Amino acid sequence: AAERGPGAAYHMFVLMEDVLEKLKLLSYEEEALRRHNMRPLSRHYFALPTNPGEQFFMFCTLAAWLITKAGRAFEQPQEYDDPNAVISKILSEVRSFGRPVDFPPSKLKAGYGEQACYVLDCLAEEALKYTGFSWKRPVYPTEELEEEEITEDDAELTLNKLEEEAVEEESDNEENFIDLNVLKAQTYKSDLSDSVKQEEILESTTDAAEWNLEVERVLPQLKVTVRTDNKDWRIHVDQMHQHKDGIESALKETKGYLDKLQNEISRTLEKIHSREKYINNQLEPLVQEYRSAQALLSEAKEKYQEGSGGVTERIKVLSEVTEVLERVKQEMEEKGSSMTDGAPLVKIKQALTKLKQETLQMDIRIGVMEHTLLQSKLKEKSNMTRDMHATVIPETTVGVY
């Protein structure tokens, strides 16, 4: 804002006023606001923060309506929609119209500001172009002359107006101090001048044709126009008297019709009351039967509620029993499946065969070891017997033992 100039902070207000004028040209009150039951916008609705949630919903609603007004298909946003998705759709439509968008989408989440006014202004211009609206030069009304506006009624002076002017002149003259000597001198001079003029008039030398021409030339300037003031209390009083006479004359005519209508209404009311009494007398036994049936119905409802309470308790017990039964069934199935399953038996047989093979191998090894041990024992025994029968014991054998 500082780079653009000191008036940039107030640019949004001017832009908002332009947007409001364009919306009025598009008749947004009849087509958009009445459909959603909303109030009309003020001059600074989107320029100042008042209620961000309401402003954002109003912004989305108007933007969607302007896009559809510009000839594009756009779904009407709802209150529970994702705001980021709605903003992205609106900005994509603005870009598709060839309008630059050099601000982040988060600026539009608040629902007010220069960016919101800019988006609405762009969409309103596109809608006006699509509808064929074109701006034209203003046509100023021609000013009529005062002479044409003057009517015969205005040229007439009323007696009340002249009396008021006379009273005002007298009050103005009373404010000034009057000198008697000066007044006498003025009256004397006026008397002399009047006598001189009278003598001159008696000997007139003017031409009648020139006099008539002069009268025709000066006649428009001599017209006195008195315009009626609507604030005058006399006019209001006259209007009150006229309205009073009109009301009295209309009341005389309508009073007879109202009296007739009142008589007819009273007669119909009396007929209705008599018919009601007759119907009540005729339907009294049926009403008694209905009351007795209603009492029986209430007793049956109480019994049903009591029975339904016992049924609910038994249903709870039944649900608990069924739960226990299902648990037992699951345990039985698990045990049955474990008993019928032959996999453990096969494993046991495989382990037994493996043990038999291992025992055979061990037996063979044991036999081999016993055979070698027996051979060693027999060899030692033969050596001992040989040594015992020998006469000379060699030295090598002595060392061994």
Side-chain angles (χ1 to χ4, degrees):
E3 294 176 357
R4 289 187 294 173
Y10 304 97
H11 179 65
M12 66 179 73
F13 296 96
V14 180
L15 194 60
M16 178 60 205
E17 290 185 358
D18 293 340
V19 170
L20 187 60
E21 294 298 329
K22 292 172 183 176
L23 290 174
K24 287 179 180 179
L25 291 173
L26 292 168
S27 64
Y28 79 107
E29 294 180 353
E30 291 80 7
E31 297 182 8
L33 297 184
R34 288 184 182 177
R35 187 181 300 173
H36 300 283
N37 196 12
M38 294 179 177
R39 294 178 295 177
L41 303 179
S42 61
R43 293 174 59 194
H44 309 304
Y45 184 79
F46 291 111
L48 297 173
T50 55
N51 188 356
E54 181 184 352
Q55 286 176 314
F56 179 73
F57 182 68
M58 180 69 79
F59 167 75
C60 296
T61 303
L62 290 177
W65 176 72
L66 289 172
I67 292 168
T68 54
K69 197 76 175 175
R72 302 288 181 87
F74 195 85
E75 294 182 359
Q76 188 67 32
Q78 303 296 329
E79 293 183 358
Y80 52 82
D81 291 343
D82 186 11
N84 296 319
V86 175
I87 290 169
S88 63
K89 289 180 182 178
I90 293 170
L91 291 179
S92 64
E93 292 291 337
V94 173
R95 293 189 186 95
S96 66
F97 287 121
R99 301 282 182 164
V101 179
D102 54 354
F103 54 86
S106 60
K107 293 285 186 181
L108 299 176
K109 274 190 177 181
Y112 66 91
E114 187 176 357
Q115 291 79 13
C117 296
Y118 169 74
V119 171
L120 291 176
D121 185 55
C122 295
L123 295 175
E125 287 183 358
E126 295 297 331
L128 289 172
K129 288 179 183 178
Y130 184 78
T131 54
F133 179 81
S134 61
W135 298 98
K136 298 179 181 179
R137 291 182 176 273
V139 179
Y140 298 103
T142 57
E143 296 182 356
E144 297 180 356
L145 297 175
E146 293 182 356
E147 293 180 0
E148 296 178 358
E149 293 179 357
I150 296 169
T151 59
E152 295 180 357
D153 296 334
D154 295 335
E156 294 179 359
L157 288 172
T158 59
L159 182 61
N160 296 326
K161 193 73 176 179
L162 292 174
E163 288 178 356
E164 290 178 359
E165 290 179 356
V167 170
E168 289 177 358
E169 289 178 358
E170 289 176 2
S171 62
D172 294 333
N173 293 327
E174 286 176 1
E175 290 178 358
N176 299 323
F177 294 101
I178 298 172
D179 192 358
L180 294 175
N181 296 323
V182 174
L183 184 61
K184 287 179 181 180
Q186 288 179 355
T187 52
Y188 181 71
K189 289 179 181 179
S190 63
D191 293 335
L192 289 175
S193 63
D194 290 338
S195 61
V196 172
K197 285 180 181 179
Q198 288 176 1
E199 292 175 356
E200 290 177 356
I201 289 169
L202 292 174
E203 296 177 359
S204 177
T205 57
T206 56
D207 189 5
E210 293 180 357
W211 182 266
N212 292 326
L213 291 173
E214 185 69 19
V215 168
E216 290 179 358
R217 186 180 66 81
V218 183
L219 185 62
Q221 298 179 1
L222 295 176
K223 277 188 178 181
V224 180
T225 59
V226 179
R227 295 181 181 179
T228 59
D229 189 6
N230 293 325
K231 295 182 180 179
D232 190 6
W233 63 271
R234 294 183 179 85
I235 296 170
H236 291 295
V237 170
D238 294 335
Q239 290 178 356
M240 289 170 65
H241 287 299
Q242 291 176 2
H243 292 314
K244 182 182 178 183
D245 296 334
I247 290 168
E248 288 177 353
S249 62
L251 182 62
K252 290 178 182 178
E253 296 178 0
T254 55
K255 191 174 182 181
Y257 295 111
L258 292 173
D259 292 334
K260 291 180 181 178
L261 184 62
Q262 183 182 2
N263 294 325
E264 290 178 358
I265 291 170
S266 60
R267 289 173 186 173
T268 52
L269 287 173
E270 289 177 357
K271 289 180 181 179
I272 290 167
H273 287 302
S274 63
R275 293 288 177 84
E276 284 181 354
K277 289 179 181 178
Y278 177 74
I279 291 167
N280 290 327
N281 293 325
Q282 291 292 328
L283 298 178
E284 188 173 0
L286 296 175
V287 172
Q288 294 293 333
E289 291 179 1
Y290 175 74
R291 288 175 182 173
S292 61
Q294 194 76 19
L296 293 173
L297 179 62
S298 62
E299 291 178 359
K301 283 183 179 179
E302 290 178 356
K303 291 180 180 179
Y304 172 74
Q305 288 178 357
E306 292 177 357
S308 62
V311 170
T312 53
E313 292 178 357
R314 290 179 178 81
I315 288 170
K316 288 180 181 179
V317 174
L318 179 62
S319 63
E320 293 176 357
V321 172
T322 51
E323 288 178 358
V324 175
L325 182 61
E326 287 178 357
R327 290 177 187 173
V328 172
K329 283 183 180 179
Q330 288 179 359
E331 292 177 358
M332 292 287 290
E333 288 177 357
E334 290 176 357
K335 289 181 181 179
S337 61
S338 63
M339 289 174 70
T340 56
D341 192 7
L345 184 60
V346 172
K347 290 180 181 179
I348 291 168
K349 288 181 180 179
Q350 290 177 358
L352 288 173
T353 54
K354 192 174 182 181
L355 286 171
K356 285 180 181 179
Q357 291 176 0
E358 290 179 355
T359 51
L360 288 173
Q361 291 177 2
M362 291 297 291
D363 290 337
I364 293 167
R365 289 178 182 176
I366 289 167
V368 172
M369 291 296 292
E370 286 179 351
H371 180 67
T372 53
L373 185 59
L374 182 60
Q375 283 183 355
S376 63
K377 286 181 179 180
L378 291 173
K379 190 175 181 181
E380 288 178 358
K381 189 176 182 181
S382 63
N383 288 330
M384 288 177 66
T385 55
R386 188 184 63 187
D387 292 336
M388 288 175 63
H389 291 292
T391 55
V392 180
I393 300 170
E395 295 178 355
T396 57
T397 56
V398 174
V400 175
Y401 296 105

